[in-house]
Amino acid sequence: HGWRVWPLMGHIERENSYDRTFALWPVFQLQHNNIERGPENSTKQWSVFPLFTSTRMGTYRGYTILWPFFGWATDPRNDFWSLDAPWPIVRFQRGGKDDVTRSRIWQFFSHLNGDGINMWSVAWPIVQWSTEDYRGYDKDAFYVLPFWRSWTSYVDGGELKGTQLSSWRKLWPLWSEHYEKHRRTTTLLPLNPLWRSEWIDFHWGWL
């Protein structure tokens, strides 16, 4: 149930679900969401948008100033903290249930480690290197754009662990090589300056 005199003021409530109030929408807002999850997992938030927002859920505390540019969040339950100052240029994140690590001062430097990927970048997007852990195989990549691109994938476990599955190298515009399923293809003077594309190679390789 609820009422509103939009955009001056309003209130809406659903039993065991949420309770929300606003004034001079969207500037002043007070919300209590996910009430059915209990005190430790329901979310309480108030904001003077876009100047300041405060969010609480259990031991989690999150704050934004001039959303979305400046923000700070912390949760001691899982050693989580994050900082945007300002987003998206500067961002740091540590801990959390997924244990994801982010460090970024764009475009000078960035690092991401989590969800099976460890990626670094310097002078983005010019220099990038990464290690990815997929189900059953690993992949290493290194790029110095637009001139050099390379990646190699390996078997991740079992008796064949470390066996190369496929690879790709390109020194544009002089040479490229692709290996997969015991087949190796070498191209001189590749025209395509972008990523590997079988469609472009098929239609324009004859040139």
Side-chain angles (χ1 to χ4, degrees):
H1 58 84
W3 58 271
R4 70 168 177 250
V5 183
W6 190 85
L8 299 179
M9 184 171 287
H11 175 260
I12 186 169
E13 179 180 354
R14 184 172 184 175
E15 185 177 359
N16 200 33
S17 182
Y18 56 80
D19 188 341
R20 303 168 183 167
T21 302
F22 75 83
L24 297 179
W25 187 91
V27 178
F28 301 99
Q29 298 198 42
L30 179 64
Q31 300 188 17
H32 188 186
N33 297 310
N34 303 317
I35 298 175
E36 73 281 0
R37 298 180 181 179
E40 288 298 315
N41 295 298
S42 63
T43 304
K44 294 183 178 180
Q45 183 181 86
W46 65 271
S47 65
V48 183
F49 186 81
L51 298 179
F52 182 80
T53 299
S54 172
T55 304
R56 296 187 175 193
M57 185 180 69
T59 59
Y60 171 88
R61 301 290 184 271
Y63 307 95
T64 63
I65 300 174
L66 295 177
W67 182 89
F69 299 111
F70 300 93
W72 164 259
T74 180
D75 191 343
R77 287 182 298 185
N78 46 30
D79 296 325
F80 168 81
W81 66 269
S82 67
L83 172 68
D84 297 314
W87 181 90
I89 297 175
V90 176
R91 186 169 203 195
F92 292 91
Q93 177 183 331
R94 298 291 186 274
K97 63 179 182 179
D98 298 324
D99 197 25
V100 176
T101 299
R102 300 177 187 270
S103 302
R104 178 173 70 220
I105 302 178
W106 188 80
Q107 63 196 82
F108 303 104
F109 163 82
S110 69
H111 174 232
L112 168 65
N113 186 12
D115 196 24
I117 184 171
N118 189 11
M119 178 180 292
W120 298 80
S121 175
V122 177
W124 186 90
I126 297 176
V127 181
Q128 302 177 63
W129 64 98
S130 64
T131 300
E132 301 175 63
D133 183 8
Y134 296 99
R135 294 182 178 178
Y137 69 96
D138 295 333
K139 182 178 180 180
D140 298 331
F142 179 67
Y143 307 116
V144 181
L145 304 180
F147 305 108
W148 175 258
R149 296 179 177 89
S150 66
W151 56 257
T152 304
S153 63
Y154 305 90
V155 177
D156 187 25
E159 296 181 356
L160 298 178
K161 183 175 181 179
T163 302
Q164 181 176 318
L165 293 173
S166 61
S167 65
W168 180 60
R169 306 282 186 272
K170 175 180 280 190
L171 180 61
W172 183 80
L174 302 177
W175 164 86
S176 71
E177 181 182 80
H178 178 232
Y179 169 80
E180 188 171 13
K181 297 180 179 179
H182 306 290
R183 177 182 178 182
R184 190 179 304 274
T185 302
T186 302
T187 303
L188 299 179
L189 303 178
L191 295 178
N192 178 19
L194 304 176
W195 303 99
R196 176 174 172 263
S197 172
E198 295 181 356
W199 187 87
I200 293 179
D201 292 341
F202 178 80
H203 287 283
W204 299 100
W206 60 274
L207 291 175

